[in-house]
C-alpha cells in the first residue's frame, strides 16, 4: 500500500463505524503519511487524545482546530515547519515533539497562545542544543510546568497517566490491604481452629480417622448387643429365682402342715395315755372301796 491515503484508511478503521464527533481517542502510530496529516477534519470535536508517532509527517500544514484535544503525540517525525496550526487546540495540555526537526526557540512562539499547555517534550530536537535553552523556553511559555520531563527546578515530572494509575493503585491498595488483612485474619482463625482440633486429637490419643470411628461405632454396637443379652439373661435368671422362691414357699407350707399333723398326733397320743391312766386310777379307787 502506498503512503498516499494510508492514514485516511487507518482513521476509518480506527473509527469502527462511529461518526467523527463520537471519537475521543485516535491512535495512528506507525501509519505512513504523504508528509502532512490526512483524514483529520474539524468534525472531530470530541477528540481528546491523538497519537501520530513515527508517521513520516514533515509539516503540520492543514492540521484542523480540535478544541477538545488535550494530548498530542507527534514524536519521531520530521516536523520542521511552523507550529502555528496548533493554535486552534485551545485545550491542549501535553505536546510531545521529541525526535523532530525543531531548530530554534522562535519556532516555538505559536505555542505561547495555548493557555493550558503544561508539558512540552522537545527531547532529541536540535533546539535543545542552544545555550540557556531551558530558561528561554520557560520564559517564552510562562504556563509551562514541565519541559523534557523536568520542571524549572529540575524536578522530574510525574506523568498524568502514572498519577491516575497510582491513584487507582492507592485505592485498590487500601481495599486490597483491607481484604488481605481480613483474609489473613480468617486464615489465622482457621489455623487456630485447626490447632485446637489437633490438640483435642492429641489429648484423645491422636487424630481419629474414619476407620477408627467405624471401629468405635462397631464396638459400641457390639457392646450394646452384649448388654441387651446380659439384660435378657438377667431377666430369665430373675424368673428362675422367683420360681425357686415360690417353690421354697410351697415346700415350707407343706413342712408346716406336716409339723401340724405330728403335733396333733402327739397331742392325741398324750390325751389317750392320760385317759388310760385316769381309768386305771378309777379302777384302783373302786377296789379299795369294796
Amino acid at each position: 500500500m502506498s503512503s498516499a491515503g494510508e492514514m485516511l484508511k487507518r482513521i476509518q478503521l480506527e473509527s469502527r463505524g462511529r461518526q467523527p464527533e463520537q471519537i475521543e481517542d485516535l491512535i495512528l502510530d506507525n501509519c505512513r503519511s504523504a508528509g502532512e496529516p490526512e483524514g483529520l477534519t474539524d468534525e472531530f470535536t470530541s477528540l481528546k487524545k491523538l497519537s501520530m508517532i513515527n508517521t513520516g509527517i514533515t509539516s503540520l500544514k492543514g492540521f484542523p482546530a480540535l478544541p477538545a484535544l488535550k494530548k498530542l503525540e507527534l514524536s519521531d517525525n520530521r516536523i520542521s515547519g511552523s507550529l502555528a496550526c496548533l493554535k486552534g487546540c485551545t485545550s491542549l495540555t501535553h505536546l510531545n515533539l521529541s525526535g523532530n526537526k525543531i531548530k530554534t526557540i522562535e519556532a516555538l512562539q505559536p505555542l505561547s497562545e495555548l493557555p493550558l499547555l503544561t508539558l512540552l517534550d522537545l527531547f532529541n530536537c536540535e533546539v535543545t542544543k542552544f545555550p540557556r535553552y531551558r530558561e528561554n523556553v520557560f520564559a517564552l511559555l510562562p504556563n509551562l510546568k514541565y519541559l523534557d520531563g523536568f520542571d524549572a527546578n529540575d524536578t522530574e515530572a510525574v506523568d498524568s497517566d502514572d498519577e491516575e494509575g497510582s491513584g487507582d493503585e492507592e485505592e485498590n491498595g487500601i481495599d486490597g490491604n483491607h481484604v488481605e488483612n481480613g483474609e489473613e485474619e480468617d486464615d489465622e482463625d482457621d489455623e487456630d481452629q485447626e490447632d485446637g482440633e489437633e490438640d483435642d486429637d492429641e489429648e484423645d490419643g491422636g487424630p481419629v480417622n474414619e476407620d477408627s470411628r467405624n471401629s468405635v461405632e462397631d464396638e459400641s454396637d457390639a457392646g450394646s448387643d452384649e448388654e441387651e443379652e446380659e439384660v435378657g439373661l438377667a431377666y430369665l435368671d430373675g424368673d428362675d429365682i422367683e420360681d425357686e422362691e415360690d417353690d421354697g414357699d410351697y415346700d415350707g407350707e407343706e413342712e408346716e402342715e406336716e409339723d401340724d399333723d405330728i403335733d396333733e398326733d402327739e397331742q392325741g397320743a398324750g390325751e389317750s395315755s392320760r385317759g388310760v391312766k385316769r381309768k386305771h386310777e378309777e379302777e384302783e379307787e373302786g377296789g379299795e372301796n369294796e
Side-chain angles (χ1 to χ4, degrees):
M1 182 183 294
S2 62
S3 59
E6 182 177 349
M7 183 172 288
L8 177 59
K9 292 180 180 179
R10 179 69 174 275
I11 291 174
Q12 293 173 350
L13 180 63
E14 293 291 333
S15 298
R16 297 181 180 88
R18 295 173 295 174
Q19 296 299 318
E21 63 271 14
Q22 296 175 323
I23 299 172
E24 295 185 358
D25 296 341
L26 196 57
I27 308 299
L28 306 175
D29 297 347
N30 303 313
C31 178
R32 307 312 300 173
S33 70
E36 295 179 0
E38 301 172 0
L40 291 174
T41 64
D42 295 340
E43 295 177 350
F44 290 87
T45 54
S46 299
L47 191 62
K48 295 180 180 180
K49 180 179 179 180
L50 174 61
S51 182
M52 294 188 294
I53 298 173
N54 190 30
T55 58
I57 294 175
T58 59
S59 173
L60 292 177
K61 182 180 178 180
F63 194 88
L66 302 172
L69 189 64
K70 293 183 177 182
K71 189 172 185 177
L72 178 59
E73 293 281 349
L74 293 171
S75 60
D76 299 329
N77 285 292
R78 299 194 299 272
I79 299 172
S80 60
S82 173
L83 300 177
C85 292
L86 298 178
K87 292 180 180 181
C89 302
T90 54
S91 298
L92 195 64
T93 59
H94 293 63
L95 176 60
N96 190 346
L97 289 169
S98 62
N100 280 281
K101 303 292 183 179
I102 310 297
K103 298 180 180 180
T104 63
I105 299 293
E106 288 75 15
L108 302 174
Q109 180 63 42
L111 301 180
S112 62
E113 300 184 29
L114 300 175
L116 302 178
L117 185 63
T118 57
L119 189 150
L120 176 64
D121 196 340
L122 297 170
F123 178 75
N124 205 24
C125 291
E126 293 184 18
V127 67
T128 60
K129 299 178 182 179
F130 273 75
R132 303 181 63 187
Y133 149 72
R134 293 181 59 81
E135 295 179 8
N136 290 328
V137 173
F138 278 113
L140 177 65
L141 308 173
N143 295 326
L144 192 67
K145 292 182 179 180
Y146 299 103
L147 176 63
D148 301 336
F150 293 87
D151 63 8
N153 298 320
D154 292 333
T155 301
E156 189 174 2
V158 178
D159 187 74
S160 61
D161 293 337
D162 294 338
E163 291 177 353
E164 294 175 358
S166 63
D168 295 337
E169 289 176 358
E170 289 177 357
E171 292 178 359
N172 295 332
I174 294 172
D175 296 337
N177 291 332
H178 179 69
V179 172
E180 289 177 359
N181 292 332
E183 292 177 353
E184 289 177 357
E185 291 176 357
D186 294 337
D187 294 338
E188 290 177 357
D189 293 337
D190 294 337
E191 290 177 358
D192 293 338
Q193 184 175 0
E194 292 177 357
D195 293 338
E197 292 177 355
E198 291 178 357
D199 294 337
D200 293 337
D201 293 337
E202 290 178 358
E203 291 177 358
D204 295 336
V208 179
N209 54 26
E210 293 181 358
D211 295 335
S212 62
R213 289 195 183 97
N214 293 330
S215 63
V216 171
E217 290 177 356
D218 295 337
E219 291 177 357
S220 63
D221 294 336
S224 61
D225 294 335
E226 292 177 355
E227 290 177 357
E228 290 178 357
E229 292 179 357
E230 291 177 356
V231 171
L233 293 174
Y235 177 75
L236 294 176
D237 293 339
D239 293 339
D240 293 339
I241 293 169
E242 290 178 356
D243 292 337
E244 291 178 356
E245 291 177 353
D246 294 337
D247 293 339
D249 295 337
Y250 180 74
D251 294 338
E253 292 177 356
E254 289 181 351
E255 290 177 355
E256 290 178 356
E257 291 178 355
E258 290 177 356
D259 293 337
D260 293 336
D261 294 337
I262 292 169
D263 292 336
E264 290 177 356
D265 293 337
E266 290 178 352
Q267 184 176 0
E271 291 177 355
S272 61
S273 60
R274 284 193 298 271
V276 173
K277 184 178 181 182
R278 185 177 297 170
K279 186 176 180 182
H280 180 67
E281 290 176 353
E282 290 178 354
E283 289 180 352
E284 289 179 353
E285 289 178 358
E288 291 177 355
N289 292 325
E290 288 178 359

